Amino acid sequence: MIGAASYESFALYYKGFNIGGNPFGDPCKTKAQWAQDFATMQAMPGAFSSARLFASSDCGTLAQAVPAAVESGTTLLAGIWTEDNGHYEAEKAALLQAVKQYGTSWLIAVSVGSEDLYRGDTNATILSHQINEVRSLLAGIGAGHIEVGHVDTWSAWIKPENADVIRACDFVGHDGYPYWEQAPIEQGVDAYHTNLAKTRAAVKAVKPGTPVWVAETGWPVSGDTIGPAVPSIENAQAYWKDVACLAFSEEDHTFWYALQDYGDKPSFGVVGPDFKPLYDLNPRYDGEAMLSAFTARPIVELKQRDKSKIECILAYGDRLLVGLNAGSLRVYRVNEPIDEAQAQNDYSATDERPSSAKSNAVDLMREEEKFSKYKIEQLAIVKEASLLVSLSNAVVSIHDLQTYELHETLVKTKGATTFAITSNIVEDPLPSIVSRLAVAVKRRVILWSWHDSEPNPDTSEITLVTGVKTLTWATGTKLVVGLTSTYVMVDVETSNVTDIVGPGSIGGAAGQDGGRFGGVGVSTINYMGLGGAAPKPLATQLGEGELLLAKDINTLFIDTEGQSLGRRQIPWAIAPEAVGYSYPYLLALQATKGTLEVRNPQTLTLLQTISLPHASQLYISQPNISLAHAGKGFLVISERCIWRMGALDYDSQIDALVERGRLDEAISLLGMLEDALLKDKEGRMREIKMLKAQWLFDLRRYRESLDLFTEVSAPPERVIRLFPPLIAGNASSSAVVEENTEHKEQLNEEDIIHGDGKSGNADVEKKQGTEEIAPKDAQLTHHSSTSDGGSINYPKLKTADEGPVLEGKDLKAATAELRPFLVSARTRLQRYLNPDGTLKDTQASIDASASRVQQAQELLLAHAPQTSEERRQQMLETAKLVDTTLFRAYMFASPSLAGPLFRLDNFCDPEVIKEKLTETGRYNDLVDFFYGKKLHRQALELLEKFGKEGQGDEKASQLAGPRRTVAYLQNLPPDLIDLIFRFVEWPLHEDPECGMEVFLADSENAESLPRQRVLDFLQKKDKTLAVKYLKHVIVELNDMTPSFHQNLVEIYIQGFKDGRVGDQSARTKWEKDTLDFLRNSRAYQPYKTIKLLPAEDPKLYEARAIVLSKMGQHRQALDIYVFKLKDPDKAEDYCNQVQLSEGSSLSPNLTKGSHRSLASDLQDKTTSIYHTLLSLYLSPPHPHKPQWGPALALLARHGARMPASSTLDLIPEVLPVKDLESYFRGRIRGANSIVNETRVVASLRNNMAFSEEAKLRLGDGVPGANRGRGRSVLITEERVCGVCYKRFGGSAVKVLPK
């Protein structure tokens, strides 16, 4: 294959050179000179057929260049200068004139201006207006589909003030010259891609989706040296190999600068004055095919003495029928059947199976010399009917397939030019095979059919507008008919004819027979042995539901309905002789070149060119006959030879594409092939996409690279190692360069050299020193394996010394794109990994089999694990690597985003995080990380350090003081109580109030701490803190544990005894708290407590009285209030509390001053607490004297609550009755209240009874009544009483209202 193939990996994009209109030494170029330029390009490796022109009117550029372009099949990117109005008007007029005269088939697009913004000749407002103006002018003459844009340098495109120009452009032309930027040649490729990426980014930010074309780039062969940028042929050669070979294979329109400018200084031209290349313009794989999909093997060669000529062939099973120009039919047996599927069924009883030991590809079995009187132009079979169909002397005949005897000559076909046969399975209603024969006779299409093996006697005809040239079955009922001037789709069942609209000669308006370039200069076409001056319309089926139409050099992809698929045309320089489809490739026979082109039908890339001298026809088994073996046995025919095209196995084809760096082609081919045809299709597709992603990464196209890595769920380790240690740490490939170097030396000695001392791979020496576009080790090889019988050894990634060095802006850009990938990987890992590092029970959460889950897990791993424990360990290591790398990426590009990562469950390496955060002084984040990783001791030690000393450190100001430590301790679980005690000491010392929040906080953790241990700890530290904690536990948490209550009581009493509570206010508060607690608590032990209260200690009188009350010794308690404390009010309050606590039936309003009495006669028989107090007042023990005042006040307020008889017995006789007036009035008032209350209750009951009786008697007359006595009630044996639920039976029944 010639070197051109490597430049056509994206042949649907325009590739060519910049060409000026002023040759050196001449004023202007003539048409002949333009034609020479175009011929020079087309003769180069790559057969370039596009050029960029700078002007339209200068030197009559378009007037001279366009005719030469049309004749040579060259397409042009036209330019318009915009310097001044006069010049600008002349440029527009020249463009419009060229379009009106020659159409638009030669015109790629229009560039309005070139580097105007860079030079400052205009501004964005004026230039955008001019772009829109040119677009409008083109639309006015029917050329509105032509794209209009502007070409400028990257430095102009990135300026915000030029955004309006981007918005006005249909495309943006990029100029990039590393030479002018003083880049050394070693950095040329990096500078090229960096600046191109800047232009793309600027365009995307302003107008997403706008294509960026490479309008100018190159390296001078001569001129001035600018810094480290040296012009020379050697450097120009290197830049061509590094940049041109890549640029011409990328998905961009690319125009190299320049074809020829030998008179300029510096000079960038690639050819000299003699139009010979100044350096090697071959691609990287010079002389080597991108792919060897097929190999040609001649199987039939006519001997020199044989004057016959091969006109047509037919292959089926192991038979090859060859029709000759003399009318003879030769029958060969193919020893390696072309169609193995048919071969299994086509051997008759008399035929012998071919022996594999035979050396001949075919054996001549017989020759039917009288098969026809004239040359045999076409052969086909109706297999189900065992019929052979032939076209000879413009008549179609039917023969027996076994004996080749003539059955019938179809008289209706006189004047036939071609025919087509199809066989399909039809269910109507039972499955049957329907075969159809379509014959082209001038303007008519005549149709015959067979159902299974029975012929249908009826025929049908369809008449078309012009003569029929070709017939191609699109489906079992639809036929693509190539006419003289267009194509139509014919439905043979309904006879509907649909025009197919396409470009140029494929489907133009009536009368327009011109091709894409007006038919000028296109070679005449020879088809199936029939000569003709006009190009014949060609058609072939492609994949499922797709067809290709081709006429001249115009192509159109359509579906089975005749609708265009909207795909680009195939960039043929000359019209093909024949087209075909051999799964999965598109074939085109270039008879004038004697070559067969093999293309990818999706990308249209030229993959292989096979030299077949004088070849004129393709023979491919009909897909609807042998779809399973399409592409495994097609033939190519010349007048003297038949070649069999053998296909390389698909796995080897994929390997070859990857080895040569054609990753996009490998991906496309994998997508077209069925899974059964490949070993591990899914795995290979994934691996190749990862190779492409790395390739994009090496080109600094980081977003595309990381998006692709994400798409295929690449192992994170593989992606991370592309980054330097600053991001990837020890996982970086650059971190193990020395180790890899040593390993390579060992490989050279042990693995490459075999026992005989020779290289084990012939390609190793061949490719040493060869530059490649894709990774240098991008090679897929197969090797045997004892485990599965064969596996794929995928290529390794570049090491750091092979790929570009990431630093500065590039590193920031790459890191920004890495973060989403790591987040995605982190999410995928969390599906299978628990926060504690154990594997999740995926069977319960994922609707998939165990094997599928394992496969999904292994996608995340760089190496396939052997056991479940290895899988868990590898996933844990991967998660650790992902999280740690994500942390480094955040710290490098966006430190503020690192904090949230710590607050989530993560697997970050603690040592890395500690080192990095310590370096940057982010101690608060470090504490958060330690907490998330449960490294609490390290966190608390850090907090203690900066809590005590951090006031002078600005970076640790957030950790200063005890508050941050207290907040941390509050979040620790109860099982870390020892750690809490260890690190709460210094906060308690520094700020006891703050430190106690660890134990007193309103949180679940604080409430669930072991309270007895906390109490013991605090008692050792400070009794005041212990009291505070006990009060919190008892009062706030309502803890009724007796020991806590007793402890608090003892602490209170001991405080009284010690007298070291504090100042007077503190002692007063302590006393109040003690008495309140003794009074309100019911959980402490009174009998134990009373022993702690000396009877003669005045400070403890009231406390002792309260404890005696708890013991039920009310008289002793009142004795203390009356005689020791001498406080009648407290004594009376005490009685009131006792009365309430004992659940007295009297009114609860027993406060001082109350005179209401609800005493009853029953109270006279009981002793009241008030009676006890009264007895102490009136009959005090020795040596106390009676207290008449408090006694009379007590009688006045509570006399009604005391038994009358015993109360009067206590009153001495000497006391005047007048002093007892208040007592008697209270008694009388209480008795009257009881009587009155009884009367009110009786009256209310009478009213209620009257109301109920009225409802019972009056019934419906009263609102809400139940019909009274007039209602009927059914009593059954099952009916029960609504109150006692007993059966009524025979009892008397009284019905109540409700």
Side-chain angles (χ1 to χ4, degrees):
M1 174 183 174
I2 63 173
S6 293
Y7 289 140
E8 298 194 32
S9 62
F10 291 92
L12 65 167
Y13 290 86
Y14 295 103
K15 315 293 179 182
F17 290 86
N18 286 265
I19 304 178
N22 303 89
F24 183 72
D26 294 325
C28 296
K29 279 185 180 178
T30 63
K31 176 184 174 182
Q33 288 174 313
W34 282 110
Q36 187 176 17
D37 287 341
F38 299 152
T40 300
M41 288 195 310
Q42 293 180 358
M44 289 180 179
F48 300 103
S49 58
S50 299
R52 177 190 173 218
L53 310 184
F54 294 93
S56 294
S57 63
D58 294 356
C59 282
T61 298
L62 294 187
Q64 300 297 324
V66 174
V70 170
E71 292 176 5
S72 62
T74 303
T75 53
L76 303 177
L77 170 56
I80 290 180
W81 290 116
T82 62
E83 284 96 342
D84 57 77
N85 291 335
H87 194 186
Y88 174 54
E89 294 297 328
E91 292 280 276
K92 290 188 295 182
L95 174 65
L96 297 180
Q97 177 60 34
V99 172
K100 291 176 182 178
Q101 183 173 355
Y102 298 101
T104 60
S105 58
W106 58 273
L107 184 57
I108 300 173
V110 178
S111 170
V112 180
S114 179
E115 298 188 355
D116 301 73
L117 299 174
Y118 167 73
R119 294 190 304 269
D121 293 342
T122 186
N123 59 53
T125 302
I126 296 175
L127 185 55
S128 59
H129 171 74
Q130 291 172 328
I131 293 171
N132 293 326
E133 181 184 13
V134 172
R135 185 184 295 110
S136 299
L137 291 174
L138 289 172
I141 59 172
H145 62 285
I146 297 297
E147 295 180 315
V148 181
H150 174 70
V151 175
D152 225 306
T153 64
W154 66 268
S155 58
W157 289 123
I158 65 175
K159 292 181 179 179
E161 59 266 27
N162 294 331
D164 286 343
V165 179
I166 297 177
R167 296 187 185 96
C169 288
D170 298 322
F171 72 93
V172 167
H174 166 82
D175 286 358
Y177 291 96
Y179 166 77
W180 290 117
E181 297 178 23
Q182 303 184 30
I185 188 61
E186 295 79 12
Q187 299 176 10
V189 64
D190 292 342
Y192 167 81
H193 288 293
T194 298
N195 296 336
L196 181 57
K198 291 177 181 178
T199 299
R200 284 175 173 156
V203 173
K204 184 175 182 180
V206 175
K207 190 180 178 183
T210 303
V212 176
W213 300 3
V214 179
E216 295 181 35
T217 190
W219 193 277
V221 295
S222 63
D224 296 331
T225 297
I226 306 177
V230 180
S232 68
I233 290 179
E234 292 76 13
N235 287 347
Q237 170 79 83
Y239 191 73
W240 174 272
K241 292 291 184 181
D242 287 340
V243 176
C245 296
L246 180 60
F248 287 141
S249 65
E250 288 191 311
E251 299 181 15
D252 294 308
H253 301 304
T254 303
F255 299 89
W256 195 261
Y257 189 86
L259 178 66
Q260 184 188 65
D261 66 346
Y262 58 89
D264 293 341
K265 185 179 180 181
S267 174
F268 287 79
V270 299
V271 298
D274 56 358
F275 290 91
K276 293 182 179 180
L278 297 175
Y279 47 82
D280 181 14
L281 299 178
N282 283 302
R284 295 177 182 273
Y285 293 97
D286 182 24
E288 183 180 352
M290 182 190 305
L291 177 65
S292 296
F294 300 100
T295 56
R297 177 187 178 189
I299 58 174
V300 174
E301 293 182 275
L302 299 184
K303 296 181 180 180
Q304 188 173 4
R305 65 176 180 271
D306 189 345
K307 303 303 180 183
S308 302
K309 294 182 181 180
I310 300 172
E311 294 291 338
C312 64
I313 63 171
L314 171 66
Y316 65 97
D318 68 336
R319 294 293 183 266
L320 175 62
L321 278 58
V322 180
L324 304 178
N325 63 331
S328 299
L329 179 70
R330 293 181 182 177
V331 181
Y332 294 89
R333 179 174 63 191
V334 183
N335 295 326
E336 297 177 4
I338 296 171
D339 189 345
E340 298 176 6
Q342 289 190 17
Q344 298 294 330
N345 305 317
D346 287 350
Y347 295 108
S348 62
T350 59
D351 292 335
E352 295 182 2
R353 186 113 181 140
S355 173
S356 60
K358 293 184 178 181
S359 58
N360 294 332
V362 296
D363 293 324
L364 179 62
M365 299 181 63
R366 60 192 293 186
E367 181 173 356
E368 296 289 334
E369 295 183 353
K370 297 182 179 179
F371 185 81
S372 175
K373 295 180 180 180
Y374 304 93
K375 66 179 180 181
I376 305 171
E377 301 173 27
Q378 192 175 350
L379 292 171
I381 62 170
V382 181
K383 183 174 179 293
E384 291 70 28
S386 191
L387 298 177
L388 174 64
V389 183
S390 68
L391 172 63
S392 180
N393 194 29
V395 176
V396 176
S397 302
I398 307 296
H399 306 260
D400 184 271
L401 186 59
Q402 300 296 326
T403 64
Y404 310 111
E405 294 181 355
L406 177 65
H407 276 192
E408 178 185 3
T409 298
L410 303 179
V411 180
K412 289 185 178 182
T413 64
K414 186 175 182 179
T417 55
T418 186
F419 67 83
I421 292 178
T422 184
S423 297
N424 301 89
I425 297 176
V426 178
E427 296 186 7
D428 188 24
L430 297 177
S432 63
I433 298 178
V434 177
S435 300
R436 287 187 171 89
L437 167 64
V439 182
V441 182
K442 297 181 180 179
R443 294 170 51 202
R444 296 176 298 152
V445 177
I446 308 176
L447 298 161
W448 285 263
S449 64
W450 290 261
H451 290 263
D452 291 329
S453 59
E454 298 298 323
N456 187 346
D458 298 329
T459 61
S460 59
E461 294 185 12
I462 300 173
T463 303
L464 303 174
V465 294
T466 60
V468 178
K469 300 297 182 181
T470 57
L471 298 173
T472 305
W473 287 100
T475 66
T477 59
K478 290 186 178 181
L479 192 66
V480 175
V481 181
L483 304 178
T484 303
S485 59
T486 186
Y487 288 84
V488 295
M489 180 75 75
V490 176
D491 190 322
V492 299
E493 291 185 328
T494 64
S495 298
N496 287 337
V497 179
T498 304
D499 290 330
I500 297 176
V501 179
S505 57
I506 286 184
Q512 293 184 358
D513 295 342
R516 194 172 84 189
F517 301 113
V520 181
V522 180
S523 60
T524 58
I525 294 181
N526 216 315
Y527 181 73
M528 298 293 285
L530 299 176
K536 180 176 290 187
L538 306 176
T540 183
Q541 285 187 335
L542 299 177
E544 187 69 24
E546 293 185 11
L547 293 95
L548 170 67
L549 309 183
K551 187 176 182 183
D552 200 345
I553 59 172
N554 297 281
T555 57
L556 178 67
F557 293 91
I558 62 171
D559 58 19
T560 54
E561 300 297 324
Q563 300 298 316
S564 172
L565 297 177
R567 296 171 59 184
R568 298 292 297 270
Q569 296 192 54
I570 300 174
W572 283 320
I574 59 175
E577 182 78 14
V579 295
Y581 179 73
S582 180
Y583 179 83
Y585 297 111
L586 172 63
L587 308 174
L589 186 61
Q590 301 283 2
T592 57
K593 290 184 176 181
T595 58
L596 175 68
E597 292 185 355
V598 181
R599 291 181 181 268
N600 183 324
Q602 291 184 347
T603 65
L604 307 185
T605 302
L606 180 59
L607 299 175
Q608 185 180 9
T609 300
I610 305 171
S611 178
L612 300 171
H614 311 296
S616 59
Q617 298 182 48
L618 289 174
Y619 177 82
I620 303 172
S621 297
Q622 297 177 3
N624 46 15
I625 294 177
S626 181
L627 180 59
H629 292 270
K632 292 192 176 180
F634 78 92
L635 305 173
V636 183
I637 311 161
S638 72
E639 291 182 348
R640 307 289 297 174
C641 182
I642 300 175
W643 292 274
R644 179 179 180 181
M645 308 306 296
L648 185 68
D649 70 278
Y650 294 121
D651 286 299
S652 298
Q653 293 184 37
I654 299 298
D655 292 345
L657 288 171
V658 175
E659 179 182 353
R660 290 160 173 78
R662 317 314 300 185
L663 303 181
D664 284 289
E665 293 305 321
I667 291 170
S668 177
L669 181 57
L670 278 170
M672 291 187 289
L673 293 173
E674 297 294 333
D675 294 0
L677 301 177
L678 295 162
K679 298 178 183 177
D680 187 19
K681 174 182 175 179
E682 183 179 353
R684 301 193 73 174
M685 176 72 83
R686 178 172 181 258
E687 178 63 28
I688 295 172
K689 284 187 175 181
M690 286 192 287
L691 286 174
K692 180 183 177 183
Q694 178 182 332
W695 181 46
L696 292 169
F697 191 90
D698 293 340
L699 297 179
R700 290 177 168 80
R701 294 161 66 172
Y702 304 118
R703 174 166 297 183
E704 298 171 63
S705 172
L706 272 298
D707 285 348
L708 190 54
F709 274 128
T710 303
E711 175 190 329
V712 300
S713 301
E717 179 183 347
R718 184 166 184 171
V719 179
I720 292 170
R721 64 181 301 206
L722 297 175
F723 288 78
L726 179 63
I727 301 299
N730 292 333
S732 173
S733 57
S734 61
V736 292
V737 170
E738 295 182 1
E739 180 181 349
N740 288 344
T741 303
E742 295 176 1
H743 182 61
K744 288 179 182 178
E745 293 175 357
Q746 294 176 4
L747 287 177
N748 290 335
E749 297 176 0
E750 299 174 6
D751 299 337
I752 298 180
I753 304 301
H754 292 253
D756 56 1
K758 295 182 179 180
S759 174
N761 185 354
D763 290 338
V764 173
E765 296 180 1
K766 178 180 179 180
K767 297 194 179 297
Q768 285 181 351
T770 301
E771 300 179 25
E772 301 185 49
I773 297 174
K776 295 181 180 179
D777 51 0
Q779 180 177 356
L780 297 179
T781 57
H782 295 278
H783 61 87
S784 60
S785 171
T786 56
S787 60
D788 56 7
S791 60
I792 301 172
N793 183 22
Y794 290 117
K796 299 174 293 181
L797 295 175
K798 280 187 178 181
T799 56
D801 56 342
E802 294 175 308
V805 178
L806 275 180
E807 57 187 5
K809 294 183 179 179
D810 284 334
L811 181 56
K812 283 193 174 182
T815 304
E817 302 302 333
L818 174 66
R819 291 183 317 199
F821 171 81
L822 294 176
V823 172
S824 175
R826 195 171 187 273
T827 302
R828 286 184 284 130
L829 283 164
Q830 288 175 346
R831 297 176 187 170
Y832 311 109
L833 206 58
N834 290 312
D836 60 355
T838 59
L839 290 177
K840 288 184 177 179
D841 183 10
T842 52
Q843 293 290 356
S845 59
I846 299 178
D847 185 16
S849 64
S851 60
R852 293 287 294 172
V853 172
Q854 290 182 5
Q855 291 175 7
Q857 293 174 351
E858 290 174 4
L859 289 178
L860 294 162
L861 307 178
H863 309 286
Q866 300 298 322
T867 65
S868 59
E869 177 58 26
E870 286 184 12
R871 178 179 295 105
R872 185 197 70 80
Q873 188 63 33
Q874 285 193 34
M875 292 194 71
L876 186 60
E877 291 297 325
T878 302
K880 181 178 179 180
L881 176 63
V882 168
D883 285 356
T884 305
T885 305
L886 181 58
F887 161 75
R888 289 193 181 101
Y890 281 142
M891 290 299 295
F892 175 72
S894 302
S896 60
L897 298 178
L901 178 63
F902 309 141
R903 300 176 183 91
L904 303 173
D905 291 329
N906 64 79
F907 296 94
C908 293
D909 186 341
E911 294 302 321
V912 173
I913 308 303
K914 181 179 179 181
E915 177 184 357
K916 205 72 176 178
L917 292 180
T918 303
E919 288 177 0
T920 56
R922 300 187 60 174
Y923 301 109
N924 194 50
D925 287 337
L926 182 57
V927 170
D928 289 339
F929 171 74
F930 282 147
Y931 179 81
K933 301 299 291 183
K934 295 181 173 56
L935 301 174
H936 303 301
R937 180 171 292 275
Q938 296 185 42
L940 290 168
E941 288 174 350
L942 187 67
L943 288 170
E944 182 177 11
K945 173 184 177 182
F946 289 105
K948 294 179 178 179
E949 307 171 1
Q951 289 81 356
D953 191 339
E954 294 183 0
K955 294 182 179 179
S957 58
Q958 292 180 315
L959 308 184
R963 185 156 299 280
R964 185 70 173 85
T965 300
V966 169
Y968 191 99
L969 293 171
Q970 286 176 333
N971 291 312
L972 295 184
D975 56 329
L976 298 178
I977 186 65
D978 292 327
L979 191 66
I980 294 174
F981 289 158
R982 160 65 180 82
F983 288 97
V984 79
E985 290 186 358
W986 77 269
L988 288 174
H989 177 74
E990 296 281 339
D991 187 349
E993 189 74 21
C994 178
M996 282 300 294
E997 289 297 317
V998 174
F999 309 112
L1000 306 182
D1002 185 12
S1003 65
E1004 183 177 354
N1005 281 353
E1007 294 178 7
S1008 57
L1009 292 175
R1011 295 172 183 174
Q1012 186 60 52
R1013 292 195 61 187
V1014 174
L1015 179 60
D1016 295 341
F1017 171 78
L1018 292 176
Q1019 282 183 322
K1020 295 177 181 178
K1021 299 294 294 182
D1022 189 338
K1023 291 188 180 297
T1024 305
L1025 300 180
V1027 170
K1028 193 171 186 178
Y1029 178 71
L1030 283 172
K1031 290 175 64 177
H1032 171 76
V1033 169
I1034 294 170
V1035 178
E1036 300 294 334
L1037 304 183
N1038 196 29
D1039 191 325
M1040 301 305 294
T1041 304
S1043 61
F1044 290 161
H1045 288 251
Q1046 187 63 35
N1047 280 337
L1048 184 56
V1049 166
E1050 293 175 358
I1051 292 174
Y1052 274 140
I1053 294 175
Q1054 189 64 36
F1056 265 117
K1057 292 180 177 180
D1058 295 343
R1060 294 177 293 180
V1061 177
D1063 56 13
Q1064 184 59 40
S1065 61
R1067 287 195 295 273
T1068 302
K1069 185 178 185 304
W1070 184 276
E1071 180 181 356
K1072 181 178 182 304
D1073 293 342
T1074 303
L1075 297 178
D1076 289 341
F1077 183 75
L1078 289 172
R1079 188 179 293 112
N1080 298 324
S1081 175
R1082 299 181 179 181
Y1084 66 89
Q1085 300 174 0
Y1087 292 97
K1088 185 176 180 180
T1089 304
I1090 196 67
K1091 298 177 181 179
L1092 303 175
L1093 300 172
E1096 302 303 325
D1097 190 344
K1099 294 184 295 185
L1100 300 176
Y1101 284 162
E1102 186 169 2
R1104 184 176 177 82
I1106 294 172
V1107 175
L1108 290 171
S1109 173
K1110 295 289 184 180
M1111 299 170 62
Q1113 298 179 11
H1114 302 301
R1115 187 175 184 85
Q1116 289 86 336
L1118 288 173
D1119 184 271
I1120 293 173
Y1121 284 116
V1122 173
F1123 300 115
K1124 292 185 177 181
L1125 294 177
K1126 299 180 180 180
D1127 191 338
D1129 292 337
K1130 287 186 177 181
E1132 184 176 344
D1133 288 339
Y1134 176 82
C1135 292
N1136 292 340
Q1137 295 298 327
V1138 172
Q1139 186 73 8
L1140 289 173
S1141 63
E1142 291 180 354
S1144 175
S1145 61
L1146 302 179
S1147 172
N1149 187 13
L1150 300 177
T1151 58
K1152 188 186 300 183
S1154 172
H1155 300 284
R1156 184 178 180 188
S1157 174
L1158 297 177
S1160 65
D1161 292 339
L1162 293 176
Q1163 288 177 307
D1164 291 341
K1165 302 178 181 180
T1166 62
T1167 302
S1168 168
I1169 186 65
Y1170 299 104
H1171 185 273
T1172 303
L1173 178 58
L1174 182 62
S1175 65
L1176 290 174
Y1177 283 147
L1178 298 179
S1179 302
H1182 183 77
H1184 303 289
K1185 297 180 179 180
Q1187 300 180 24
W1188 302 105
L1192 293 175
L1194 181 65
L1195 285 172
R1197 287 192 291 270
H1198 302 287
R1201 294 178 174 84
M1202 292 183 284
S1205 58
S1206 59
T1207 300
L1208 292 174
D1209 290 341
L1210 291 174
I1211 298 174
E1213 297 179 356
V1214 296
L1215 184 68
V1217 175
K1218 182 178 181 180
D1219 293 341
L1220 297 174
E1221 179 180 359
S1222 298
Y1223 167 71
F1224 289 119
R1225 287 183 180 275
R1227 294 287 301 185
I1228 295 171
R1229 190 181 299 111
N1232 289 338
S1233 296
I1234 294 173
V1235 172
N1236 292 336
E1237 183 178 344
T1238 303
R1239 291 175 179 174
V1240 171
V1241 172
S1243 177
L1244 291 174
R1245 287 177 176 172
N1246 289 335
N1247 289 335
M1248 186 182 299
F1250 180 80
S1251 177
E1252 294 297 324
E1253 187 69 19
K1255 291 181 182 180
L1256 186 62
R1257 292 178 179 276
L1258 300 179
D1260 293 339
V1262 177
N1266 297 314
R1267 300 203 307 271
R1269 295 181 184 276
R1271 63 174 171 154
S1272 59
V1273 179
L1274 179 62
I1275 304 298
T1276 63
E1277 292 184 357
E1278 291 77 15
R1279 186 106 182 231
V1280 297
C1281 175
V1283 178
C1284 66
Y1285 301 103
K1286 293 181 179 179
R1287 291 186 180 181
F1288 289 115
S1291 306
V1293 178
K1294 181 177 182 180
V1295 180
L1296 298 177
K1298 295 184 178 180

